[in-house]
């Protein structure tokens, strides 16, 4: 099952250290291949901390997510939660 | 004479003699052309190294969360994710398959990514540091490198390092470590300030020449002259070993011609109060309240703040405690306060700007705690506002004090008004010092920020370290102007920047008319001794020459010309 979703980033510092770590953790915890892309840019592997942080997404940017696998829906829900939670409210 | 003398910036007016221990030494990689590489074994070694590194990171995360705070600990979560990154694992696997030893494959796998992040802006560039840390950790494990535990060094160690983070510095035990020197950093970098609060001899910003000093070499760290003596001779050794600073002067001091100058301590945590009293502080000239707000998930209550200020007042029953209201923003971040990302945080929403809005609730709570402590504490309380630039800001802050008093009236709680003051840290505050002083009891000149703003020189940037010096005529004249304006309005004037703690500058500051000098506790005996040896009449004449001088070297000639 392949699902797509576009999420606007809420954390003030964007996908900075802590939200990025939580993001990658969510991807590796689920059974799905996930890619992430900034609008107009090439998608990257969402399970790679290097790839995710190098996206350079800031607050207000949109991130396009594509998930393929049995957990596709669950992983997108979890990623959306992380991307829309202010950093200080984020529990790992 | 020492074999070699390296020049840097002195951080502490203390000398120490010891043996070099390099922190984070260069890792030597195996020969990449080693034909005997066993690919299966190298792959297993890499996998074991990742596990070892992960266990280390988890242990350090727990220790940091415990000792420093959850926010600081979060960086280790990011490091674990970099360690587990599949693109790294893939690249290492490819490298080993191509016949590289695991360590070289790891080095290559990280290299391009580090370069990529290095070229990016701001916080993205911090990721290069994260990747470098993770790489070096893996390489150390793979090459069986010895790990230097900064908290457990042999007695008489002098730590040399490229740089030391505040948490590195915090681990150094002044009982065993004789000092440190770093390649980078300036006098007001966090490591330097930390060194002063630990009374640790330190020289920062030595530059690449430091790299040539070998492990185990005998050195003198002269934090007064800002030099590192490699292979000191007998006399240099003896001088360093004998440098334990001036004797503690318990009582208040005056100049030889009878002008009283208060010598007080800058305090960042209640734990430092007793040490400040032991060093002979007359009181506290700067009680930073940020510590109450750090390392926690929500702001401290009014009662908690009351207790902390009360403790300070009771430590100095016959003295004065000057409390600075919450000064965050700039480089001081507090997780739950939602500070904005700003392109120039030092010119942004910090200090009083945040207390008036958006943190006015926190400000009100803090002011109520301060008013209650004034009524109940033994010593005399004075309260000052940081980063004031306009008279309107001061008026609004004083209105907030009235509002806090009205709240306490409504609650029927006892309170008293402390004396009120303004920190002079902005050029604007210097220019309107007369108007500010007319509205308060005192001014306190914060020379670290004032120098930064007068000279337009970032205090953390060693490339402009020469400009970040309060003996430039612009800064000396700003100090003179603020002092004169305050005295005309019958306000007293203190100084609570690093400049105040430099005994070489005591005569200049007394001559400029400062009524109070406040500093890290370590230099209080030296400054008290310097005050007692100063004649105000001579100092005042010298200060006149200093403020009329055209260049920094001319200012310094007035200081050293005895």
């Amino acid at each position: 099952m392949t699902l797509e979703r576009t999420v606007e980033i809420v954390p003030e510092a964007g996908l900075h250290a802590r939200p990025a770590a939580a993001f990658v953790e969510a991807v590796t915890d689920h059974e799905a291949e996930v890619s992430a892309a900034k609008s107009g840019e090439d998608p990257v592997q969402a399970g790679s901390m290097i790839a995710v942080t190098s996206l350079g997404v800031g607050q207000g940017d949109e991130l396009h997510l594509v998930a393929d696998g049995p957990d596709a829906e669950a992983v997108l829900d979890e990623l959306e939660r992380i991307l829309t939670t202010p950093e200080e409210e984020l529990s790992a | 004479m020492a074999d070699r003398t390296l020049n840097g910036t002195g951080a502490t007016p203390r000398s120490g003699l010891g043996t070099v221990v390099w922190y984070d030494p260069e890792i030597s990689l195996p020969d990449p052309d080693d034909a005997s590489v066993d690919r299966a074994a190298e792959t297993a070694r890499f996998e074991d190294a990742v596990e070892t590194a992960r266990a280390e990171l988890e242990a350090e995360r727990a220790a940091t969360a415990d000792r420093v705070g959850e926010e600081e600990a979060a960086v280790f979560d990011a490091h674990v994710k970099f360690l587990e990154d599949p693109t790294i694992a893939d690249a290492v696997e490819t490298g080993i398959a191509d016949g590289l030893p695991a360590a070289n494959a790891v080095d290559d796998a990280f290299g391009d990514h580090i370069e990529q992040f290095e070229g990016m802006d701001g916080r993205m560039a911090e990721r290069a540091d994260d990747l470098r840390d993770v790489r070096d950790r893996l390489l150390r494990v793979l090459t069986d490198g010895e790990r230097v535990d900064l908290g457990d060094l042999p007695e008489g160690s002098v730590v040399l390092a490229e740089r030391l983070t505040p948490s590195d510095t915090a681990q150094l035990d002044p009982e065993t470590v004789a000092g440190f020197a770093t390649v980078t950093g300036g006098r007001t970098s966090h490591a330097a300030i930390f060194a002063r609060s630990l009374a640790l001899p330190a020289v920062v910003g030595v530059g690449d020449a430091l790299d040539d000093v070998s492990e185990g070499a005998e050195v003198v760290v002269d934090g007064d002259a800002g030099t590192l003596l490699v292979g000191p001779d007998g006399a240099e050794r003896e001088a360093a070993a004998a440098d334990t600073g001036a004797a503690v002067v318990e009582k208040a001091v005056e100049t030889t011609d009878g002008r009283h100058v208060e010598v007080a301590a800058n305090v960042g945590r209640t734990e430092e109060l007793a040490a400040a009293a032991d060093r002979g502080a007359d009181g506290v000239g700067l009680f930073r309240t940020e510590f109450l707000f750090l390392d926690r998930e929500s702001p401290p209550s009014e009662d908690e703040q009351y207790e902390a200020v009360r403790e300070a007042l009771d430590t100095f029953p016959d003295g004065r405690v000057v409390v600075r209201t919450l000064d965050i923003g700039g480089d001081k971040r507090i997780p739950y306060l939602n500070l904005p990302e700003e392109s120039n945080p030092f010119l942004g929403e910090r200090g009083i700007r945040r207390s008036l809005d958006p943190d006015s609730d926190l400000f009100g709570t803090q002011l109520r705690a301060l008013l209650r402590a004034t009524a109940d504490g033994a010593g005399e309380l004075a309260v000052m506002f940081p980063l004031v630039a306009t008279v309107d800001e001061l008026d609004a802050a004083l209105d907030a004090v009235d509002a806090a008093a009205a709240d306490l009236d409504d609650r029927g709680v006892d309170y008293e008004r402390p004396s009120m003051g303004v920190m002079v840290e902005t050029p604007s505050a210097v220019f309107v010092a007369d108007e500010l002083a007319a509205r308060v009891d005192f001014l306190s000149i914060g020379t670290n920020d004032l120098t930064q703003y007068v000279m337009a020189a970032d205090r953390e940037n060693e490339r402009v370290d020469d400009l970040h010096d309060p003996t430039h005529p612009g800064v000396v004249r700003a100090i003179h102007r603020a002092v004169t304006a305050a005295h005309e309005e019958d306000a007293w004037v203190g100084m609570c920047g690093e400049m105040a703690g430099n005994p070489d500058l005591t005569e200049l500051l007394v001559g400029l008319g400062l009524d109070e000098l406040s500093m890290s506790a370590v230099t209080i005996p030296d400054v008290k001794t310097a005050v007692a040896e100063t004649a105000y009449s001579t100092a005042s004449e010298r200060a006149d020459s200093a403020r009329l001088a055209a260049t920094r070297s001319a200012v310094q000639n007035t200081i050293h010309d005895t």
Side-chain angles (χ1 to χ4, degrees), chain B residues 329-346:
Chain B
D331 61 340
K332 296 173 216 150
R333 307 195 62 84
I334 292 181
Y336 50 85
L337 288 187
N338 237 332
L339 298 179
E341 282 293 314
E342 299 177 314
S343 52
N344 284 305
F346 282 102

Side-chain angles (χ1 to χ4, degrees), chain A residues 12 16 25 48-50 53, chain B residues 81 85 123-124 338-339:
Chain A
E12 281 196 31
H16 179 58
E25 170 119 4
S48 159
M49 184 72 174
I50 291 173
T53 48
Chain B
K81 292 293 169 252
D85 198 304
R123 298 189 81 165
M124 296 288 282
N338 237 332
L339 298 179

Side-chain angles (χ1 to χ4, degrees), chain A residues 9 11-12 24 28 32 34 42 44 52 57-59 79 83 87-89:
Chain A
I9 311 295
E12 281 196 31
V24 171
T28 48
V34 185
D42 292 335
V44 303
V52 168
V57 283
Q59 189 179 32
L79 293 179
L83 294 175
E87 183 171 348
E88 62 278 6
E89 290 168 27

Side-chain angles (χ1 to χ4, degrees), chain B residues 1-5 229-233 236:
Chain B
M1 282 283 286
D3 300 339
R4 277 176 74 207
T5 301
L229 310 179
V230 185
D233 67 20
E236 288 164 336

Side-chain angles (χ1 to χ4, degrees), chain B residues 430 470 472-482 512 546-551:
Chain B
V430 172
H472 278 292
V475 184
V476 173
R477 291 180 197 191
I479 294 166
H480 174 256
R481 184 171 174 141
L512 285 169
R547 76 180 167 85
L548 297 172
T551 62

